[in-house]
Amino acid sequence: SSWTDAYSSSISALMSSLPSADIQRILFDSFFTDPFLAEGITLLQTQFMEQLKTVTERQGQRSREGDATTLANAFAILGTALRIMPDETSRLLLASSTAGMYGHLQPKSLSRIISPQLASHLDPTPLDQRYFDLALICSQMAESGDTPSVMLVMLKLVLYRNLAMRKDRQTVSGQYLCGAIKIAQTMGLGKEWEWQPLGEREMKRRIMWSLYVADRHLSFETAVPYTLLEAHQGIHLPSPISEHDLHQLAPDATALPPHKTELGPTPCTALFLHTHLARKITPILDSFATLSPSKTPHGLVLGFDQSLDTFQEKLPTYMRFFPLTDTRWDSSHAYLSAHRIRLHARILAYRQGVHRSFIITYLRPSAPAGIRGVMAHICLSSLRTQRSAKMLDPKIAPRIYEPLVVFESAMILGLILYVDRAMTIGQGAAPAPEAMMWREGLANGVELLDNISAGVAGDAARKAVKVLREMSAKVDASPQETKL
């Protein structure tokens, strides 16, 4: 049919933008070994690679249904793997004389596709964006020509994670996430099918709970209602069992073996813990959506924070917060430190978010000093976590390190110090014993932001540092100059 011919010719034309087999291998490995990008979908790696190999071997022949989905995933993964690499990598690949897989030039950017021109390294569009645009073109073909599949769910999740790395694209990234959820639900991935192999059932659980975790986190960050209801998750929680152990199961096994997270980490432990954390914040999101954060009773707010604090305290020893961390597995599990720091960064962001609407109330002299102490502890912990995040591998650090979190935490500490100093002077009371730690936290915030120098982020950081230094000056002012 004309549609089939158009589908095949489009697939053939788009495949010419694939890089060489060696570059593909490097970027695919980078994606699937990343501690965050492939979380929950690594069980689909073999299926994806086999499908891409089949599509590649049929180059020049009539395409088959599903090829657009496979090619879209390839471009999405290539683009996402490149996005976490230094800009120099993209420029080096574009400037290289290495031709594409089929002897063609490097991929065109969307602007060059719309107004036909030859692809060129003079085009300022980064290579990761070119691959992302090609993934969207293939995605359109997949949505109109391919039957919905688990690989289409994977595609939407990868596109979401790609854009989620950019805080200015959260609304658009949420569209891909919602699409992944609806396709998964339509396919019945959110239900247990007892007759299916254990590996396939676990794969579906990890996908569905990855969608759930992302849905809850996006809702907390944007204050937009979540999409996936708890009642719709008719599927068991994901197992932290490693993929190696999962593949070693006997063919006639009827259940996954129990796995105690306390005994040691696996690459899947983080998803298991994040799933429990996401369920913890669901009642918080419900309250904020129905009452608004500022109108949620303060007793309820304290209860929410206590539940998150308890969750944090009960983490396995290798996931606990410094200095209580059991680091004996760190050298043999490369992903572990990144998983640990991201988990604490997220818990502390939720705790800080729960209290945010009450900060002004906490700063009143009439407020109990204890609540300021709790807030100061959260802020100090956030700053320590952000410092740890900044020390991670350069490919990972920017996805955890949040300058805005650093500024907010340091600013709150400065305000608490200011109030404590004013009350000490006005009432003749002794300063809080933690005041020196708060002051150190404020200084650490300045130091963490002072190291950012590039581009728009650098401009914002310089303004933030100026504000924090002015706050420090007020805190350090003489008693006569200090006023509430």
Side-chain angles (χ1 to χ4, degrees), residues 226-244:
Y226 53 77
T227 300
L228 190 51
L229 299 181
E230 195 92 21
H232 296 163
Q233 287 287 76
I235 197 165
H236 300 321
L237 293 177
S239 169
I241 187 174
S242 69
E243 290 187 21
H244 176 268

Side-chain angles (χ1 to χ4, degrees), residues 74 166-167 326 353 445:
R166 295 176 51 185
K167 295 298 183 181
D326 181 353

Side-chain angles (χ1 to χ4, degrees), residues 362-428:
Y362 297 164
L363 294 173
R364 292 173 182 164
S366 58
I371 194 62
R372 287 193 288 273
V374 169
M375 201 66 229
H377 171 74
I378 294 172
C379 292
L380 282 170
S381 298
S382 291
L383 288 167
R384 292 186 189 120
T385 303
Q386 291 299 310
R387 179 177 289 278
S388 297
K390 207 169 183 182
M391 296 169 64
L392 290 171
D393 185 292
K395 290 197 299 184
I396 298 172
R399 288 176 276 162
I400 305 177
Y401 176 71
E402 293 276 6
L404 187 58
V405 171
V406 173
F407 174 72
E408 182 182 25
S409 299
M411 193 65 188
I412 291 173
L413 284 173
L415 290 168
I416 292 174
L417 269 169
Y418 187 83
V419 171
D420 180 70
R421 181 176 175 81
M423 291 179 64
T424 299
I425 295 168
Q427 301 174 9

Side-chain angles (χ1 to χ4, degrees), residues 24 46 65 143 163 184 260 284 292 299 338 386 403 412 470 483:
Q24 283 186 51
T46 301
E65 183 186 319
E143 289 169 359
L163 283 186
K260 293 185 177 180
I284 301 174
S292 84
Q386 291 299 310
I412 291 173
E470 289 175 354
K483 299 178 182 178

